[in-house]
Amino acid sequence: MTPPAVETTPDASRIQTLFNRIAPVYDRLNDWLSLGQHRIWKLMTVKWSQASSGDTCLDLCCGSGDLAQLLGERVGNTGQVFGVDFSCAQLEIARQRGETHYPPLTLHWIEADALHLPFADNFFDAATMGYGLRNVTDIPRSLRELHRVLKPGATAAILDFHRPNNPTLNAVQQWILQTIVVPVATANGLQDEYAYILPSLEKFPQGPEQIRLAHQAGFAQATHYPIAGGIMGVLVVTKRLS
Ligand SMILES: C/C(=C\Cc1cc(O)c2ccccc2c1O)CCC[C@H](C)CCC[C@H](C)CCCC(C)C
Ligand SMILES: C[S@@+](CC[C@H](N)C(=O)[O-])C[C@H]1O[C@@H](n2cnc3c(N)ncnc32)[C@H](O)[C@@H]1O
């Protein structure tokens, strides 16, 4: 029997199955449920990555590839982007997206585990990670792998949900997730998959803890920017130059 493309632990296998199952409606529900705002948050993330024309970049946990495509537009036709994900169904959506883009971009889609990246040390000029850090089963290891594959002096921008410090906004975020997001997902036969978001968010480190974990993983600089009133956040990390 041929081994699976990506060896995963039972927990990781559950996450892999979840994102394979939601792949057909993932982009559409993101647009509906965020009123298109997630595209703005992703554009901010690409800008914070400091990716430039001609760069070789990584989009970690790329899913359906929209963030990787934004990164591709940033680096242009002299650069290249490697989108990495362990969900084959998400990557199939990403490949279809990449084929229809004009002007053509150099996008590579790699089925691999973010905790065991198939790249040499010091390989990427910049990186992004959109809504992936909260979903990996080992955040410290994921940050260490990201640090390993970045070139000295390179920056990564990591976008994810964040729990607002403001109690009212925190309550509004929970209400939207429970009262709007889950019922809409349920109407698409995906109640359990979207009900996962809130408990995953409640376990996810807040900004200051994310900064501590980034320094522990070896990053010289780490800053967390709450956005959208603190319901989302971007952790920006930079590898030491020498
Ligand atoms: C792009 C977004 C979420 C991606 C995403 C991340 C996950 O970890 C998931 C896990 C399981 C199922 C789905 C996902 C998933 O889609 C953010 C936007 C989409 C969100 C589903 C909706 C979030 C709503 C916000 C709490 C409030 C939005 C306010 C807006 C200004 C109207
Ligand atoms: C919420 S989606 C994010 C997709 C995309 N980055 C975006 O911004 O919409 C999370 C993605 O992380 C992937 N993922 C989670 N853990 C992973 C791991 N250990 N290795 C590779 N991909 C992983 C899932 O398969 C899923 O496609």
Side-chain angles (χ1 to χ4, degrees):
M1 182 180 85
T2 52
V6 177
E7 292 291 342
T8 57
T9 63
D11 264 359
S13 177
R14 187 172 61 82
I15 295 291
Q16 195 177 39
T17 301
L18 184 153
F19 285 102
N20 280 334
R21 281 179 48 82
I22 71 174
V25 299
Y26 178 76
D27 289 332
R28 178 156 45 86
L29 290 188
N30 281 345
D31 277 326
W32 285 356
L33 293 167
S34 72
L35 303 180
Q37 293 301 296
H38 75 104
R39 297 169 183 270
I40 307 293
W41 305 331
K42 290 172 179 176
L43 200 53
M44 293 167 73
T45 303
V46 168
K47 289 180 178 177
W48 261 316
S49 75
Q50 299 183 43
S52 305
S53 177
D55 280 355
T56 292
C57 295
L58 167 68
D59 181 38
L60 200 43
C61 299
C62 65
S64 60
D66 61 345
L67 182 50
Q69 184 171 287
L70 288 174
L71 204 46
E73 291 165 359
R74 183 98 176 173
V75 302
N77 58 14
T78 59
Q80 59 180 338
V81 174
F82 291 80
V84 174
D85 203 293
F86 68 8
S87 163
C88 57
Q90 291 278 349
L91 283 176
E92 189 46 42
I93 305 281
R95 288 187 185 96
Q96 292 164 14
R97 178 199 305 275
E99 285 160 6
T100 58
H101 189 276
Y102 186 83
L105 300 169
T106 308
L107 304 174
H108 311 283
W109 306 110
I110 313 291
E111 185 173 340
D113 188 341
L115 306 182
H116 304 274
L117 291 172
F119 302 104
D121 297 359
N122 309 312
F123 189 76
F124 293 104
D125 297 297
T128 51
M129 188 177 194
Y131 301 99
L133 193 64
R134 181 174 37 87
N135 289 302
V136 298
T137 54
D138 185 338
I139 291 176
R141 183 180 178 96
S142 182
L143 290 170
R144 287 197 302 272
E145 268 294 83
L146 178 59
H147 180 269
R148 178 182 67 79
V149 300
L150 284 171
K151 288 179 180 176
T155 293
I158 302 169
L159 165 67
D160 220 308
F161 282 93
H162 186 256
R163 279 169 283 132
N165 293 325
N166 176 302
T168 303
L169 280 174
N170 198 312
V172 167
Q173 179 187 57
Q174 286 191 30
W175 182 85
I176 292 173
L177 287 171
Q178 291 171 322
T179 314
I180 298 175
V181 171
V182 171
V184 168
T186 303
N188 286 271
L190 295 165
Q191 176 176 1
D192 293 346
E193 289 78 0
Y194 280 75
Y196 154 82
I197 295 177
L198 188 52
S200 74
L201 174 55
E202 285 165 349
K203 286 188 293 187
F204 190 50
Q206 289 288 81
E209 175 63 7
Q210 291 183 32
I211 290 169
R212 190 189 70 78
L213 290 169
H215 286 307
Q216 195 175 57
F219 287 102
Q221 297 167 40
T223 308
H224 183 267
Y225 299 97
I227 61 174
I231 63 170
M232 301 289 163
V234 183
L235 175 67
V236 181
V237 292
T238 300
K239 186 169 179 176
R240 184 168 282 102
L241 196 52
S242 59

